[in-house]
Amino acid sequence: MLKPLATATRDLVSLDGLWAFALDTRVGPEPWRSRLETRLEAAVPASYNDLFADQEIHDHVGLVWYQRTVRVPRGWYGERIVLRFDAATHAASVYVNDTLVATHDGGYTPFEADLTEVVAPGAEFRLTVSVDNRLTNVTIPPGKLTVGPDGKERQSYFHDFYNYAGLARSVRLYSTPPTHLTDVTVTTDIDGSTGLVAYRLATSEPAPASVRLVDETGVVVASCEGHAGTLRVEDSVLWRPGAAYLYRLEIEVHDGWQTVDTYELPVGIRTVAVRGDQFLINGEPFYFTGFGKHEDSAVRGKGHDNAYLVHDFRLLDWTGANSFRTSHYPYAEEVLEFADRHGIVVIDETAAVGLNLAVEGGLTGAPPRPTFSPETINSQTQAAHAQHLRELIDRDKNHPSVVMWCVANEPSTNEDGAREYFEPLITLTRELDPTRPVTMTTVIFATAENDRTADLVDVISLNRYYGWYVATGDLAAAEQMLEADLRGWAAKYGKPIMMSEYGADTISGLHSVTATPWTEEFQADFLAMNHRVFDRIPSFVGEHVWNFADFGTGPAIHRVDGNKKGVFTRDRKPKAAAFALRERWRGLRGRKPAPEVLRESELSASLL
Ligand code: GCB
């Protein structure tokens, strides 16, 4: 789905701002038919949960309503008029005056409604949206609804971050000409010093089209006629991690002599591949340093915020991070565009977090249920998951920063039914995008011996918490367990391995001279222990600390004011570990520790 742009033939109006807001329980039936009876106003973009200092709103399970009036620009006569939501978490119904114009499932991908037939240029309309935060066994992510003793619904889910909901990303109204570009797909390759940019266009109806590729100085370096072709760029400048270079693909759709539509897309020329146990960008081995992140900040929850975007990327750079994973859902498009422009590498993840009912047992004592069964994660969940993959890849396929798709976080890949569930989804991912490697992060219960899906992915991504959830505080034992675990995967699969999560909860300002979990010193020691082990594994290709910053969670007795595994606090102040990471990562600069170090430490490992 094309990102809405203002171009010579397209206009764009932002609908961000303050919208009327109400809980479903506080309004009458069919609230879209008139002015919403409420005095509350919600900021868009923002999650609604923490805006109002109101427990009932914070804990609400079910629908909420947003409403505003919109005036269509009077100059849009004869144009196609489109309403676009960048996200509505997790499901939405959209009404224009009394008419239902769109529904969408999935909280982190965009959707649109064509309003051309229902609104008029120059006139106002009432825009009402319901947003539903409920998660069940057939939604992505999954969750469970129960009814409490007070008769009200309760929501639980199998991930720790708070189930923020609402309109957390921008809403826009835009125009296109009746004959318009509907899609563009770009893939790039390198032939010696020549960059190859293959493009494919789709238009609303058959119409001639042409493209031009322009470099950063404004010079046209290649051009082509037709809906598909390959542009050759002699002596091309490659998009590299830490050194982004973007060409601009200028697209024109014609009608006779006239240009009827124009659109443009940033293009980074680069290749991505897995060869043997290496991850290659532009044919060179790449070592990931960075974090699993969250879209999370106080008050706005998951609301996109450009100030945090800029600041977070400066902090990534400050620590020497070259990459991050969009744990545990697709992030706002602005984030990927920023990564494109600033040379940060992205592992792009779906919202499939918590396909793992083993986590239900634990402290509740609930008998474990099988994760994959007709009553739990089933073929309907799988169909929703496939739809999420389609929408993610459709949205993000052209970003040079995106180097790998992550199909799910910590699914129960050691259980019966996992292979049947995931094999078709991984095949679908490869069909939708044959150019990027595929991974899934692996939960600690899935070992090299019992995992059912690792042969299907290109990179083995492991989430491991030795020294925290396992062997808590005992870093000597943790070091041995971690090394045995990693060597098991390396020996069995011969694929690149990365640590997609490792981390320890840490209260900023808590210190100790002895190794004490929750202190800043312990977090730094914990990471250093992990790094010693990583540096001994030749097939290791990267390290993503959990987490970039502290983040909001649902209530749990092992969470005090959220998850504290951040290297930065929730308001982005560094803990001691941030300085230690900076020292290590700024030295690595995207390369594995030198082979001398490996050989030396492998020697010591074999003496263990
Ligand atoms: C995990 C999850 C992540 C949690 C983290 C933790 O394995 O993937 O979502 O936040 O552990 O801190 O427990």
Side-chain angles (χ1 to χ4, degrees):
M1 183 183 284
L2 293 179
K3 191 184 174 221
L5 283 187
T7 73
T9 57
R10 295 169 172 237
D11 289 323
L12 189 62
V13 173
S14 169
L15 302 184
D16 292 351
L18 293 167
W19 293 45
F21 175 87
L23 296 186
D24 195 42
T25 45
R26 297 186 191 168
V27 290
E30 305 197 331
W32 64 88
R33 293 197 185 277
S34 57
R35 207 166 141 258
L36 208 56
E37 309 146 30
T38 180
R39 299 191 65 81
L40 295 178
E41 294 182 69
V44 176
S47 306
Y48 62 77
N49 311 77
D50 289 346
L51 293 179
F52 300 102
D54 179 327
Q55 189 74 44
E56 196 185 343
I57 296 176
H58 183 262
D59 296 344
H60 179 70
V61 178
L63 298 186
V64 299
W65 293 91
Y66 286 82
Q67 192 181 70
R68 62 165 287 163
T69 53
V70 179
R71 184 173 294 281
V72 183
R74 64 199 163 113
W76 288 10
Y77 275 105
E79 299 295 293
R80 183 173 153 263
I81 299 168
V82 186
L83 176 65
R84 150 102 170 199
F85 289 82
D86 280 1
T89 318
H90 294 279
S93 299
V94 181
Y95 301 83
V96 165
N97 298 327
D98 287 352
T99 311
L100 177 69
V101 295
T103 61
H104 184 255
D105 288 326
Y108 305 96
T109 42
F111 60 96
E112 296 186 339
D114 186 332
L115 304 189
T116 318
E117 301 300 322
V118 288
V119 300
E124 249 185 11
F125 66 88
R126 188 176 60 250
L127 175 59
T128 312
V129 187
S130 73
V131 184
D132 192 343
N133 65 355
R134 282 173 291 189
L135 300 172
T136 69
N137 66 313
V138 297
T139 59
I140 296 290
K144 194 165 118 182
L145 291 164
T146 49
V147 176
D150 54 2
K152 288 189 179 162
E153 269 193 322
R154 300 285 195 277
Q155 174 78 70
S156 59
Y157 33 92
F158 317 112
H159 53 79
D160 72 338
F161 60 93
Y162 187 74
N163 187 33
Y164 281 114
L167 297 177
R169 297 184 190 158
S170 287
V171 185
R172 281 171 282 222
L173 192 69
Y174 71 96
S175 71
T176 77
T179 301
H180 57 276
L181 183 78
T182 55
D183 195 25
V184 48
T185 307
V186 165
T187 57
T188 63
D189 207 346
I190 305 167
D191 177 12
S193 62
T194 305
L196 306 175
V197 177
Y199 74 91
R200 206 174 56 242
L201 310 178
T203 46
S204 56
E205 52 210 276
S210 61
V211 301
R212 265 192 319 259
L213 196 68
V214 181
D215 72 12
E216 285 190 355
T217 66
V219 172
V220 176
V221 293
S223 56
C224 206
E225 300 282 321
H227 278 226
T230 299
L231 300 159
R232 294 181 65 84
V233 187
E234 307 301 332
D235 297 320
S236 60
V237 185
L238 300 183
W239 187 96
R240 294 179 196 280
Y245 189 95
L246 294 174
Y247 293 88
R248 192 172 69 243
L249 186 71
E250 296 182 349
I251 303 161
E252 289 185 356
V253 179
H254 308 283
D255 182 4
W257 294 108
Q258 250 197 328
T259 298
V260 289
D261 194 17
T262 61
Y263 192 81
E264 60 182 52
L265 181 80
V267 172
I269 301 177
R270 57 107 183 95
T271 61
V272 182
V274 165
R275 193 177 62 208
D277 59 10
Q278 291 186 317
F279 194 95
L280 306 176
I281 298 184
N282 300 331
E284 291 166 16
F286 179 72
Y287 191 82
F288 295 82
T289 56
F291 301 94
K293 279 185 99 267
H294 263 303
E295 293 190 310
D296 176 89
S297 61
V299 184
R300 32 177 106 51
K302 297 205 170 304
H304 175 73
D305 182 308
N306 280 330
Y308 272 94
L309 170 70
V310 170
H311 192 57
D312 283 4
F313 271 70
R314 290 315 300 163
L315 292 179
L316 291 176
D317 184 61
W318 181 88
T319 47
N322 59 19
S323 54
F324 66 89
R325 175 168 60 112
T326 70
S327 41
H328 293 308
Y329 35 80
Y331 289 2
E333 270 178 283
E334 289 87 338
V335 180
L336 298 171
E337 290 173 335
F338 206 80
D340 289 344
R341 289 198 297 276
H342 294 273
I344 292 284
V345 167
V346 178
I347 299 174
D348 207 354
E349 183 163 292
T350 68
V353 50
L355 278 69
N356 195 327
L357 301 192
V359 300
E360 254 192 330
L363 292 171
T364 69
R369 302 182 292 162
T371 297
F372 304 98
S373 79
E375 293 73 42
T376 52
I377 302 299
N378 58 26
S379 55
Q380 224 184 314
T381 329
Q382 190 188 38
H385 198 156
Q387 183 58 17
H388 276 248
L389 277 164
R390 281 189 205 97
E391 292 185 19
L392 171 69
I393 295 173
D394 186 41
R395 191 194 74 163
D396 291 351
K397 61 189 172 184
N398 293 325
H399 289 287
S401 57
V402 175
V403 300
M404 182 152 65
W405 304 114
C406 184
V407 172
N409 180 68
E410 294 195 346
S412 208
T413 50
N414 52 316
E415 276 190 61
D416 283 348
R419 194 169 182 93
E420 292 75 2
Y421 181 91
F422 280 106
E423 194 165 9
L425 294 177
I426 292 172
T427 305
L428 173 69
T429 308
R430 293 191 194 287
E431 280 166 12
L432 293 168
D433 179 10
T435 71
R436 288 181 179 87
V438 179
T439 195
M440 278 200 298
T441 72
T442 309
V443 68
I444 196 156
F445 312 123
T447 63
E449 287 73 44
N450 67 18
D451 184 86
R452 320 276 176 98
T453 58
D455 62 307
L456 301 171
V457 298
D458 300 298
V459 173
I460 294 179
S461 299
L462 300 171
N463 293 359
R464 293 294 184 267
Y465 290 89
Y466 293 110
W468 188 255
Y469 291 122
V470 179
T472 311
D474 184 349
L475 294 182
E479 185 161 353
Q480 294 205 10
M481 292 161 113
L482 174 63
E483 181 147 4
D485 190 347
L486 297 187
R487 286 198 185 276
W489 291 92
K492 181 158 179 187
Y493 290 103
K495 295 186 183 204
I497 300 178
M498 72 177 288
M499 193 65 96
S500 35
E501 286 184 22
Y502 61 114
D505 284 272
T506 303
I507 302 290
S508 171
L510 198 65
H511 296 285
S512 173
V513 292
T514 56
T516 307
W518 293 92
T519 62
E520 294 197 30
E521 290 75 16
F522 183 82
Q523 187 183 33
D525 288 351
F526 172 98
L527 298 179
M529 176 279 287
N530 273 269
H531 299 151
R532 281 197 297 280
V533 178
F534 301 167
D535 292 352
R536 297 198 283 260
I537 308 292
S539 54
F540 218 71
V541 299
E543 49 198 64
H544 277 176
V545 173
W546 191 256
N547 188 286
F548 171 74
D550 295 344
F551 59 88
T553 61
I557 55 167
H558 57 301
R559 298 281 181 256
V560 184
D561 188 34
N563 186 311
K564 298 289 185 198
K565 295 192 185 69
V567 164
F568 295 94
T569 59
R570 200 180 195 197
D571 59 355
R572 278 53 170 178
K573 298 284 184 292
K575 301 179 191 172
F579 296 91
L581 285 175
R582 176 175 157 90
E583 201 170 321
R584 173 175 167 85
W585 288 349
R586 290 185 81 96
L588 291 183
R589 298 185 168 279
R591 285 186 298 272
K592 261 178 92 67
E596 295 77 49
V597 180
L598 277 178
R599 257 184 265 136
E600 217 176 87
S601 23
E602 276 196 314
L603 207 64
S604 57
S606 62
L607 296 177
L608 278 178

